[in-house]
């Protein structure tokens, strides 16, 4: 995506790889929108920490980061024993997988890299394949988002107000984004509309990241407090909802996404407003049989008890908001049932949640 940094327009992907130095390049998302800075991770353990600590976040972006991290870890192996190499790769895989549990993209991305690596007969061959496979995952992610934009743009008509939740924009992917892809394509087709970004407490990805992206792309928008959506629905001021997902169950059509998504789906249903979920194919989990089995990340209570921002000098600061001595519960995600979802916008077209399984082969299912 093009970003204006210090008055200069530059093209960036959210996640890139420095082949010569074996480093993953990431945008330090915790500093946005106040500071735009890129960082690099020196080894797979640092890459896993960057995922865990949300330097990089968003299902597609952590998928690509994990794929590159696996290649980074594999390429750092210097010994000659194949069994030791395989043990090492398993250790790298587990470190990256365990960094964040809810999104399925990192697991799908790394399994794909490992499936391709198996074709290499030597350690060197597997190391080379690992990097090519991670690169292919990142490139496919961009193409998937482009196709989501093509299919989803037709849903956006002149004069609409669109509600989004969290950040499912280019920062949450390698480029373009999933929920934002139809928005950017409709904008390119010269349609006029407006976006409401849910603030998305506690980490405020809507107020900080989505609002920043939309401002960069000159999309008219307002940030709203998470509690304001009900009022806007009631007054007929929201015509469509488009969100992303961290894990969508191919067997049931249930959607795990940032905490608060379910409440918006209930409101949309109550007010007969269409509710869409935009996902690349790597977000589909074909194994789980129930949304109740999706691991929901419990995050540190400090996220709820306070807030981060920038002081007048631009330095990042945390302030305590809640009553001193009170504790908080902080589930990071929730699961929206299929009956509340109007459609799933995929790179292969728009499907009703119940249609995913029937179209599984077209949607990338490789099992039986
Ligand atoms: O905790 P985050 O910021 O990684 O959560 C991100 C979201 O929930 C996004 O909405 C989600 O990843 C779907 S779009 C990739």
């Amino acid at each position: 995506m093009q970003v204006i940094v210090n008055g200069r327009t530059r093209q960036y992907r959210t996640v890139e790889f420095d082949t010569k130095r074996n480093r993953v390049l990431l945008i330090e998302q915790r500093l946005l929108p106040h500071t735009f800075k890129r960082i690099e991770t020196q080894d797979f353990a640092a890459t896993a920490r960057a995922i865990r600590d949300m330097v990089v976040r968003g299902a597609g972006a952590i998928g690509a980061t994990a794929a590159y991290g696996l290649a980074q870890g594999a390429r750092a192996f210097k010994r000659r024993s194949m069994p030791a190499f395989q043990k090492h790769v398993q250790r790298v895989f587990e470190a990256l997988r365990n960094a964040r549990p809810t999104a399925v993209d990192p697991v799908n991305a790394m399994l794909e890299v490992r499936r391709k690596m198996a074709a290499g007969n030597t350690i060197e061959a597997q190391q080379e394949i690992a990097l090519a496979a991670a690169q292919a995952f990142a490139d496919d992610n961009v193409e998937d988002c482009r196709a989501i934009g093509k299919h989803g743009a037709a849903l956006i008509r002149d004069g609409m107000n669109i509600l989004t939740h969290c950040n499912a924009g280019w920062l949450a992917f390698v480029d373009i984004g999933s929920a934002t892809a139809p928005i950017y394509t409709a904008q390119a087709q010269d349609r006029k509309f407006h976006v409401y970004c849910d603030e998305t407490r506690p980490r405020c990805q809507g107020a900080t990241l989505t609002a920043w992206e939309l401002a960069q792309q000159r999309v008219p928008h307002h940030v709203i407090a998470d509690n304001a959506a009900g009022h806007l629905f009631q007054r007929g001021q929201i015509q469509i909802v488009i969100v992303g997902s961290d894990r969508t169950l191919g067997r049931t059509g249930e959607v795990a996404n940032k905490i608060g998504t379910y409440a918006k789906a209930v409101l949309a249903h109550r007010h007969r407003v269409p509710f869409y979920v935009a996902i690349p194919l790597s977000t589909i989990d074909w194994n789980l049989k129930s949304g109740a089995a999706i691991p929901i990340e419990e995050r540190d209570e400090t996220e709820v008890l306070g807030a981060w921002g920038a002081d007048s000098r631009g330095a990042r600061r945390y302030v305590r908001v809640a009553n001193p001595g009170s504790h908080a519960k902080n589930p990071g995600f929730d699961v929206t049932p299929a009956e509340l979802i109007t459609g799933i916008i995929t790179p292969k077209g728009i499907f009703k949640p119940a249609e995913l399984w029937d179209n599984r082969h077209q949607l990338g299912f490789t099992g039986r």
Side-chain angles (χ1 to χ4, degrees):
M1 222 60 198
Q2 285 193 342
V3 195
I4 302 168
V5 185
N6 300 330
R8 287 178 58 203
T9 303
R10 304 272 302 269
Q11 180 78 32
Y12 288 103
R13 280 185 170 194
T14 308
V15 186
E16 293 182 88
F17 195 77
D18 182 334
T19 308
K20 276 203 194 115
R21 298 168 64 232
N22 202 35
R23 293 189 175 182
V24 184
L25 307 179
L26 301 167
I27 295 167
E28 194 1 319
Q29 298 196 30
R30 295 173 304 181
L31 300 182
L32 286 171
H34 309 290
T35 305
F36 184 91
K37 181 178 167 197
R38 293 226 298 173
I39 61 123
E40 50 185 43
T41 58
Q42 296 187 9
D43 54 29
F44 80 86
T47 304
R49 276 199 303 278
I51 295 173
R52 188 198 62 203
D53 297 343
M54 292 175 70
V55 169
V56 58
R57 28 68 50 210
I62 60 175
T65 305
Y68 280 132
L70 191 74
Q72 179 184 37
R75 293 172 92 230
F77 186 83
K78 299 287 179 234
R79 285 176 290 147
R80 310 227 53 81
S81 148
M82 185 54 106
F85 176 68
Q86 281 164 350
K87 230 168 123 186
H88 168 75
V89 170
Q90 180 62 24
R91 204 161 61 87
V92 175
F93 173 82
E94 282 168 18
L96 291 160
R97 182 194 58 193
N98 296 341
R100 292 200 72 191
T102 300
V104 77
D105 301 61
V107 175
N108 284 341
M110 289 193 291
L111 289 178
E112 177 67 2
V113 172
R114 291 184 82 176
R115 190 186 63 73
K116 289 184 176 170
M117 282 170 75
N121 293 325
T122 62
I123 293 171
E124 291 72 24
Q126 292 207 11
Q127 288 170 325
E128 208 170 300
I129 294 171
L131 181 55
Q135 192 64 54
F137 178 85
D139 293 343
D140 287 352
N141 188 263
V142 178
E143 284 320 305
D144 270 11
C145 288
R146 213 184 299 287
I148 288 168
K150 216 173 76 191
H151 293 296
L155 300 170
I156 299 175
R157 293 190 300 277
D158 271 331
M160 272 186 163
N161 289 295
I162 304 162
L163 179 69
T164 66
H165 191 69
C166 195
N167 172 261
W170 69 269
L171 291 164
F173 289 87
V174 177
D175 205 345
I176 302 170
S178 68
T180 48
I183 291 174
Y184 296 146
T185 305
Q187 181 191 39
Q189 293 169 353
D190 214 22
R191 250 160 281 155
K192 306 286 179 241
F193 51 86
H194 169 268
V195 179
Y196 284 117
C197 313
D198 274 345
E199 179 186 28
T200 320
R201 278 284 292 152
R203 297 282 300 212
C204 292
Q205 292 95 326
T208 57
L209 306 178
T210 306
W212 180 77
E213 277 193 33
L214 295 179
Q216 291 279 333
Q217 302 304 314
R218 296 196 164 83
V219 174
H221 65 280
H222 282 87
V223 175
I224 58 169
D226 293 319
N227 296 336
H231 167 71
L232 295 175
F233 274 116
Q234 204 174 42
R235 295 281 167 105
Q237 288 168 23
I238 295 171
Q239 284 73 42
I240 187 170
V241 186
I242 311 179
V243 298
S245 167
D246 293 84
R247 190 186 293 244
T248 292
L249 300 197
R251 290 172 187 270
T252 67
E254 288 157 287
V255 165
N257 194 46
K258 181 51 59 192
I259 193 80
T261 303
Y262 170 52
K264 299 303 147 70
V266 172
L267 279 169
H269 193 252
R270 154 94 187 171
H271 295 282
R272 297 191 170 82
V273 169
F275 185 96
Y276 286 92
V277 181
I279 54 163
L281 300 185
S282 60
T283 301
I284 304 178
D285 179 330
W286 295 108
N287 295 318
L288 291 187
K289 297 193 172 76
S290 160
I294 297 175
I296 299 295
E297 182 179 8
E298 279 284 339
R299 294 191 57 84
D300 195 274
E301 66 171 7
T302 52
E303 293 185 344
V304 174
L305 297 172
W308 283 272
D311 67 16
S312 56
R313 293 190 186 142
R316 188 170 184 257
R317 295 264 184 258
Y318 174 83
V319 290
R320 170 98 188 190
V321 175
N323 175 52
S326 294
H327 290 284
K329 183 161 173 56
N330 188 14
F333 299 88
D334 59 28
V335 179
T336 298
E339 69 264 22
L340 299 181
I341 298 166
T342 312
I344 314 261
I345 311 169
T346 78
K348 304 290 180 191
I350 303 176
F351 297 87
K352 291 197 185 317
E355 293 171 343
L356 294 180
W357 184 249
D358 290 343
N359 292 282
R360 59 192 176 278
H361 296 295
Q362 191 193 354
L363 292 169
F365 174 78
T366 49
R368 279 191 289 148

